[in-house]
Amino acid sequence: MIAESLPALGSRSGRHDVCVIGSGPAGVTLADALGRAGLSVIVLEAGRSGWDEKSQAVYEGGHFGGPPLLPLSVSRLRQFGGASNHWGGWCLPLDAADFADKIDGIDTAWPIGIADLEPWLPEAVRLLELPDFAAGVAFGDALREVSFRYSPPVNFAHKFGDEFRRSERIDVALDSYVTGFDVEDGRIVHARVRDSGGADRRIAARRFVLCAGGIENSRLLLWANVQSGGRVVPEPAALGRYWMEHPHFTLGHVLLENDFPFEFDEKGTVFISPTAAAMREHRLLNIGLRLHPAKEGVTRRLITELACVAPGLGEKVFRRFGKRLVCGLLLRASWEQPPRPYNRVVLGDKVDAFGIPRTDLHWYLEDFDRRTPSAAARLLGAEFATRRIGRLRLERWLDGLEDFPEDDEIGGNHHMGGTRMSRDPRQGVVDADCRVHGMGNLYIGGSSVFPSTGFANPTLTIVQLALRLADHLARSLARDGEQHGALRVRGEARS
Amino acid sequence: MSRRWLPRWLLVLIGLGLLAALAVAIAGGAWMRKKSAVEGFGERASAREMSAHPAASVRQAFTAPTGEAGLGRAPYDLVGGHLLEGFFAYRGDSPSFAFYPGEPSWHGRRIDAEEGFSRILPFAAAWLAAGGDDRIPTATGTRSLSAALRDGLLSGTDPDDPGYWGRPGRHDQRIVEASDVALGLWLARDTVWPLFDEAQRTRMLDWLRAAAEQHVFQGTWQLFPVLTERVIDYFGGSTGQLRARARTGYERFLASYGGDGWYRDMPRGFDYYNAWGMHYVLFWIDQIDPDWDPGVIRPRLVEFADFFRHLFGPQGVPIMGRSLCYRLALPAPVLAASLIAPERITPGEGMRALDATWSYFIARGAVEQGRITQGICGDDLALLDGYSGPASCLWSLRSLVIAYHAQTRQAMFDAPRQPLPVERGDFVVRAEAPGWTVEGSRADGHIRLLIEANAGAEPAPIRAYGTGNLIREWLAQAPRRPDNGSALYGRPEYSTAAPLSACEIRSQP
């Protein structure tokens, strides 16, 4: 059932097999899969069923660094369904190369490989209502064309709401803000929950999974560690650290000389990315170069075409009128940042309405964040020149002549890292099973466990990881002597 | 022969056109000038000779023959007195500003004058802490140094005072100056800080906090908010958020580490900013908070200084890179390392590097008219960066700040001088990270710095400051000094035998 608060669950708020904290794509996928495996699940959602101004205000926080990201209370949603209430639906699995160290000196390796996630791809594709993915197509030696797929986009609150309301195994309590944990002998025994009236309650479960989001997971654990004297995350060296975004910027434009050899997809985009060998050779991380047809009015197009003959002059004229010169195609990109320990979530000085410190997000773009798009765009330019497709005119900031532009998209609102997966507890927060290092029954779901990001939008990977975690939890609970079987989702058709 | 004239109406039209073009050119020039003009560019303070501590006496004290005991303390007290007298001589109506004579920076006159206060403050504070006289004789009578520092700090941090320095903004020069203000406050914690009441202390810490929270450029700049925050924390004014931001800034800075104790300076790479910038600030962070990161700061400083000390000798230092008017600060890391690891670098060697450097440059005009001159020897606009103003070069005092600070713990000035590497024998040493090789010749005392990355390059000449620069400055009302980046960074070799700027030894009185 779905209850407006914990007390409204009545006797059903007792001990469950799994307590899932958060109801975004990770939490809902996990709860659904666990319920289907016959486990009892309670989902604690801090927000309400829809957008609520007071609840949303809890997400306000600071950003130290630059360039400026969207305000933290805008880029996230604190309500049932979480970020699936406003996501765009763009999906692509991570590359095999994304799980390895791509270049020397930058730690992008995951403790798992693509083979550990691939079994969950068909079910994730089905949940997100995606067409099948196509393999990438080589474009020269260094590049390949890749194809995104688009979810409708699935809203998890709408898709699973009715099912959860009817479910005997899955209980959802709204207005249930987890503010800490009770710990005994390296295990969580209760989640401490506060409602908007300020009443505190405790929820018991055999397993606890934090799926509160790519920033909240870190914030809640940092705060829980403050309260518990470091007993919730006993190995906190990496907690909140290695936080990442996908930088999103316009790199330049393309003056076409011949017919464009690609077909635009349904979003009017062609995606090009480097091969693993090119990343190694040219020392760049993964990137999705996006080519869009320039949408121009007739007059503007004529002026543009003239200006493109003399781009320097054209640029000046267009700048004079506050316009951006676009010749034929717009080249945009989103790419992978190196995981950096100092890009991190910390607890700020201000507190939210519940007395819990707000987020202070430390996030910087550095010189290397220029290197990836700059090197990739040059590879594309060389290939276009070789094939006489056209020529690229790149923005000045790519050469370090200007700062990163602040009037661009800047980030994709893809909040990743902070509780990264690692073999070594000094390098991360969770192990390969997403279990918090040093804790017996505390797990983390969502993009906060990503050790590195590739360039693919994260939701598909989040769902794959949630399905994999559900399988692990079902198996581990079964091993604990319970009568629950392993999760049967691989290739299983649902009614 | 008949002559055909243009029709009169056409001549009038052409004339009007020319007049219009002239008017447009004048208006455009005026507009450009207004746009590029630096605040107060045309105003220059008059230079004054110091009467209580004449420059000639200072030169004499630093060039008189010395034995193994070295210079001792007296010459340093004399040059310190000369510069503190200069501070009083150039102090403005508001005690938070000092309008030194010299060429302005692109920051404008007000920031230049703020530097006049903030850049002498750490020295003045260290001077007081080391038992230096609070009463400074000047041409107009004896003045209290601690009272002057107190008044300047109160005025500069009070938004309602005409001498308010202004709230530090993003990438603002005030962030740099705030770190010197913070260091000065910490060094004056027993002398000036007790003079403030709670409200005044809160106001000063608020101003420093505004600086500590700002965005900075990469490189040395990243350390300024860290030092400032550590001082705020020392005085009990920091918060968890500010502390975390300082830690993040510090960790970002560490990414510029190149190995062997060397940090990359932005944008040029390895240069002497390691000495008077990075290691200097890191040393103070470690002094203020010994628990901050001693396992990183101290061994890197000692490793750096162990190589860097080879650059000092009686014939000077092979000068290269930007901000050369800070040249007197070069021994700072050697002195600092001698405090951290005296078993590796003795205080006697640190003081010998200080003696040699100050003697060499003072003999050649580095200290005149109560100020540090704007060049390698005397004033030299060819080598003065656009960001440097009349008081910027007071960063030269950074080696003295450490020496006076050390004096509060041990008899630093009396440390028996130990010979420098070049005074002990010939040597060749190499630092892999910057690709620098230093060669010393005991016979003539000269030192060569060979930069591997520049091997084979044609040595670029120094471009002089000429009439063209003067005209451009007049038109722009802003510094338009020559860009000598190639000569300062691109030569394969820098040596004391053929310095960038040939300096004459000033005549004695």
Side-chain angles (χ1 to χ4, degrees):
Chain A
M1 70 178 288
I2 298 178
E4 290 302 312
S5 66
L6 256 181
L9 279 179
S11 59
R12 295 175 64 120
S13 65
R15 185 179 167 94
H16 289 73
D17 291 318
V18 181
C19 172
V20 175
I21 298 154
S23 70
V28 169
T29 301
L30 187 66
D32 172 61
L34 291 169
R36 281 189 283 122
L39 296 165
S40 64
V41 183
I42 184 165
V43 178
L44 302 173
E45 166 54 50
R48 298 178 184 276
S49 56
W51 193 87
D52 177 271
E53 190 174 345
K54 278 187 184 168
S55 174
Q56 196 62 27
V58 170
Y59 275 173
E60 288 171 6
H63 172 206
F64 180 58
L69 293 167
L70 270 185
L72 299 182
S73 57
V74 174
S75 59
R76 309 179 286 166
L77 286 174
R78 195 172 186 263
Q79 65 187 81
F80 184 50
S84 74
N85 287 284
H86 68 180
W87 77 306
W90 293 34
C91 290
L92 188 72
L94 292 174
D95 291 335
D98 288 327
F99 295 87
D101 279 332
K102 299 180 181 77
I103 51 180
D104 289 343
I106 296 182
D107 172 22
T108 54
W110 292 49
I112 60 175
I114 193 167
D116 294 298
L117 284 188
E118 267 178 348
W120 313 103
L121 183 60
E123 175 67 357
V125 163
R126 197 185 56 72
L127 285 175
L128 294 169
E129 301 172 22
L130 298 168
D132 286 339
F133 286 96
V137 178
F139 179 57
D141 294 334
L143 301 168
R144 66 210 163 98
E145 184 191 7
V146 294
S147 302
F148 266 76
R149 293 291 183 257
Y150 303 101
S151 175
V154 166
N155 179 315
F156 281 68
H158 297 165
K159 185 178 178 93
F160 292 94
D162 287 343
E163 181 186 321
F164 284 10
R165 277 185 197 93
R166 291 193 305 268
S167 175
E168 287 298 315
R169 296 195 181 99
I170 302 169
D171 292 315
V172 179
L174 304 174
D175 190 20
S176 300
Y177 185 12
V178 171
T179 57
F181 298 96
D182 294 333
V183 185
E184 283 180 13
D185 300 327
R187 296 178 70 83
I188 304 292
V189 289
H190 298 111
R192 293 204 292 269
V193 183
R194 188 171 296 170
D195 65 24
S196 53
D200 289 321
R201 291 179 179 78
R202 283 175 157 76
I203 290 293
R206 278 185 273 273
R207 302 285 186 274
F208 292 83
V209 189
L210 191 54
C211 301
I215 291 174
E216 287 303 280
N217 283 352
S218 292
R219 182 174 81 112
L220 294 179
L221 289 176
L222 285 164
W223 177 236
N225 250 17
V226 170
Q227 289 179 297
S228 67
R231 295 170 68 211
V232 175
V233 183
E235 304 269 7
L239 179 56
R241 293 179 175 273
Y242 302 99
W243 193 86
M244 296 162 285
E245 245 282 13
H246 284 135
H248 278 57
F249 287 91
T250 294
L251 306 187
H253 48 264
V254 182
L255 177 61
L256 290 174
E257 293 170 3
N258 274 310
D259 288 343
F260 190 54
F262 302 105
E263 280 188 25
F264 293 107
D265 69 9
E266 63 192 87
K267 301 277 187 188
T269 308
V270 168
F271 296 91
I272 308 283
S273 73
T275 62
M279 285 187 257
R280 225 174 10 256
E281 182 184 346
H282 298 280
R283 282 192 63 77
L284 69 155
L285 294 179
N286 215 344
I287 180 169
L289 297 165
R290 303 175 178 184
L291 293 160
H292 304 273
K295 290 174 183 168
E296 309 281 5
V298 174
T299 310
R300 187 174 152 87
R301 188 169 68 239
L302 284 172
I303 296 170
T304 299
E305 284 171 1
L306 283 173
C308 288
V309 176
L313 177 65
E315 194 79 37
K316 279 184 187 170
V317 171
F318 272 64
R319 277 193 181 172
R320 180 77 185 82
F321 294 100
K323 305 288 185 191
R324 193 188 292 271
L325 176 65
V326 178
C327 299
L329 297 176
L330 188 65
L331 175 61
R332 291 185 54 74
S334 67
W335 63 94
E336 177 178 19
Q337 288 194 278
R340 299 185 177 102
Y342 55 75
N343 278 340
R344 59 180 177 143
V345 175
V346 301
L347 298 177
D349 290 342
K350 293 180 180 166
V351 296
D352 64 24
F354 298 83
I356 297 176
R358 293 188 183 281
T359 298
D360 196 36
L361 180 65
H362 297 192
W363 181 73
Y364 287 89
L365 289 178
E366 309 281 13
D367 282 344
F368 193 91
D369 297 309
R370 257 184 250 271
R371 179 181 179 80
T372 290
S374 177
R378 281 169 173 77
L379 288 174
L380 182 71
E383 198 61 38
F384 273 21
T386 302
R387 296 171 185 241
R388 302 185 63 80
I389 294 170
R391 55 195 171 93
L392 264 60
R393 180 172 169 75
L394 299 179
E395 299 284 339
R396 286 165 55 85
W397 64 265
L398 280 168
D399 289 325
L401 299 173
E402 293 174 354
D403 285 340
F404 285 91
E406 296 196 349
D407 59 349
D408 208 320
E409 203 175 353
I410 296 172
N413 304 315
H414 303 161
H415 302 161
M416 300 166 286
T419 66
R420 76 197 303 238
M421 192 189 286
S422 69
R423 288 194 184 87
D424 182 348
R426 290 168 300 181
Q427 302 295 322
V429 173
V430 299
D431 64 16
D433 292 326
C434 295
R435 185 171 57 89
V436 172
H437 287 299
M439 291 298 287
N441 66 342
L442 178 59
Y443 293 81
I444 299 179
S447 52
S448 67
V449 305
F450 289 13
S452 64
T453 69
F455 78 89
N457 294 36
T459 302
L460 178 63
T461 309
I462 290 170
V463 171
Q464 286 177 275
L465 278 168
L467 292 167
R468 178 174 175 269
L469 177 56
D471 182 57
H472 170 81
L473 290 171
R475 289 173 191 276
S476 83
L477 282 164
R479 276 199 304 275
D480 281 357
E482 303 295 334
Q483 293 182 345
H484 306 296
L487 195 60
R488 290 181 296 124
V489 291
R490 297 183 198 196
E492 174 188 272
R494 294 178 65 214
S495 57
Chain B
M1 191 171 80
S2 66
R3 297 177 65 184
R4 297 183 63 185
W5 293 91
L6 290 173
R8 181 169 291 177
W9 63 268
L10 191 53
L11 286 172
V12 170
L13 205 60
I14 290 170
L16 286 174
L18 288 172
L19 279 174
L22 187 64
V24 167
I26 291 170
W31 180 76
M32 290 287 285
R33 194 179 199 208
K34 192 178 174 187
K35 206 176 167 193
S36 66
V38 162
E39 173 248 330
F41 183 78
E43 300 173 54
R44 305 283 196 283
S46 301
R48 300 176 197 177
E49 296 302 328
M50 300 300 108
S51 57
H53 313 81
S57 305
V58 172
R59 275 201 302 277
Q60 191 172 34
F62 274 89
T63 51
T66 61
E68 285 185 5
L71 287 171
R73 179 167 177 171
Y76 291 103
D77 282 351
L78 185 61
V79 73
H82 176 87
L83 291 166
L84 290 172
E85 186 183 345
F87 165 64
F88 281 107
Y90 300 123
R91 217 156 63 123
D93 292 337
S94 292
S96 53
F97 294 117
F99 296 88
Y100 281 81
E103 288 302 304
S105 77
W106 64 39
H107 299 301
R109 193 163 186 257
R110 203 170 166 85
I111 291 286
D112 287 350
E114 180 186 341
E115 289 186 358
F117 181 90
S118 60
R119 295 196 173 200
I120 203 154
L121 172 63
F123 171 69
W127 164 281
L128 289 174
D133 203 338
D134 183 50
R135 312 295 297 172
I136 306 296
T138 74
T140 55
T142 301
R143 316 287 287 275
S144 165
L145 182 57
S146 57
L149 301 184
R150 177 199 63 204
D151 294 347
L153 287 162
L154 287 178
S155 171
T157 56
D158 182 356
D160 298 324
D161 192 286
Y164 181 52
W165 290 321
R167 188 177 173 80
R170 190 175 175 153
H171 299 142
D172 190 329
Q173 185 62 25
R174 292 176 187 86
I175 300 166
V176 183
E177 303 318 307
S179 74
D180 268 338
V181 169
L183 176 60
L185 275 175
W186 184 78
L187 288 166
R189 60 197 180 281
D190 297 325
T191 53
V192 180
W193 182 255
L195 305 177
F196 301 120
D197 63 30
E198 273 312 303
Q200 291 166 335
R201 290 175 179 180
T202 301
R203 208 168 56 212
M204 281 186 286
L205 294 182
D206 283 347
W207 186 81
L208 291 176
R209 197 174 296 113
E213 289 193 308
Q214 289 300 335
H215 297 271
V216 293
F217 297 111
Q218 283 185 287
T220 326
W221 274 68
Q222 289 168 314
L223 291 174
F224 299 136
V226 183
L227 191 154
T228 303
E229 188 279 330
R230 286 293 79 199
V231 172
I232 296 169
D233 190 64
Y234 178 86
F235 288 120
S238 193
T239 65
Q241 179 171 305
L242 195 60
R243 213 169 287 129
R245 289 181 171 193
R247 179 62 72 175
T248 291
Y250 174 73
E251 291 180 14
R252 283 186 74 216
F253 166 76
L254 291 185
S256 67
Y257 187 62
D260 302 333
W262 285 80
Y263 296 92
R264 283 184 199 83
D265 181 35
M266 298 297 285
R268 295 278 191 174
F270 298 104
D271 60 18
Y272 290 154
Y273 262 80
N274 273 273
W276 55 56
M278 285 94 164
H279 282 296
Y280 177 82
V281 181
L282 288 166
F283 167 76
W284 287 115
I285 290 168
D286 186 57
Q287 292 288 300
I288 295 159
D289 178 5
D291 295 329
W292 179 257
D293 200 8
V296 168
I297 293 175
R298 294 178 197 174
R300 288 183 183 179
L301 166 61
V302 174
E303 190 177 8
F304 173 79
D306 199 27
F307 170 83
F308 197 68
R309 66 198 169 116
H310 291 86
L311 288 159
F312 297 91
Q315 304 287 356
V317 180
I319 288 282
M320 58 79 64
R322 66 193 178 100
S323 299
L324 291 177
C325 75
Y326 308 157
R327 70 281 199 198
L328 294 161
L330 279 166
V334 186
L335 285 164
S338 76
L339 298 180
I340 299 289
E343 71 285 356
R344 289 276 297 277
I345 297 171
T346 63
E349 188 175 345
M351 286 305 295
R352 174 68 191 125
L354 188 77
D355 287 355
T357 305
W358 278 72
S359 297
Y360 177 87
F361 287 114
I362 283 179
R364 290 161 178 80
V367 178
E368 303 282 344
Q369 298 157 337
R371 67 192 178 98
I372 305 291
T373 50
Q374 296 177 290
I376 294 178
C377 301
D379 296 309
D380 185 351
L381 295 187
L383 297 175
L384 188 65
D385 308 271
Y387 51 78
S388 290
S392 302
C393 309
L394 288 169
W395 264 22
S396 259
L397 290 173
R398 290 182 156 206
S399 54
L400 276 201
V401 179
I402 293 178
Y404 276 86
H405 168 69
Q407 185 69 18
T408 64
R409 300 179 183 180
Q410 62 199 59
M412 193 70 176
F413 287 104
D414 297 330
R417 302 322 197 238
Q418 304 291 322
L420 294 164
V422 76
E423 294 169 322
R424 293 199 293 266
D426 296 349
F427 66 81
V428 178
V429 291
R430 180 174 166 76
E432 291 298 329
W436 282 20
T437 299
V438 179
E439 296 177 2
S441 163
R442 186 184 178 195
D444 58 13
H446 280 301
I447 298 164
R448 297 169 71 204
L449 163 62
L450 308 170
I451 299 179
E452 188 178 87
N454 300 339
E458 191 67 29
I462 295 283
R463 297 164 62 188
Y465 178 94
T467 311
N469 299 95
L470 197 64
I471 292 169
R472 281 199 293 278
E473 292 195 341
W474 180 80
L475 287 171
Q477 288 295 290
R480 292 290 185 268
R481 303 194 271 262
D483 175 7
N484 271 309
S486 299
L488 296 174
Y489 282 91
R491 291 187 181 178
E493 176 183 334
Y494 296 89
S495 80
T496 55
L500 281 171
S501 167
C503 304
E504 298 297 325
I505 295 179
R506 300 291 166 103
S507 60
Q508 297 301 320

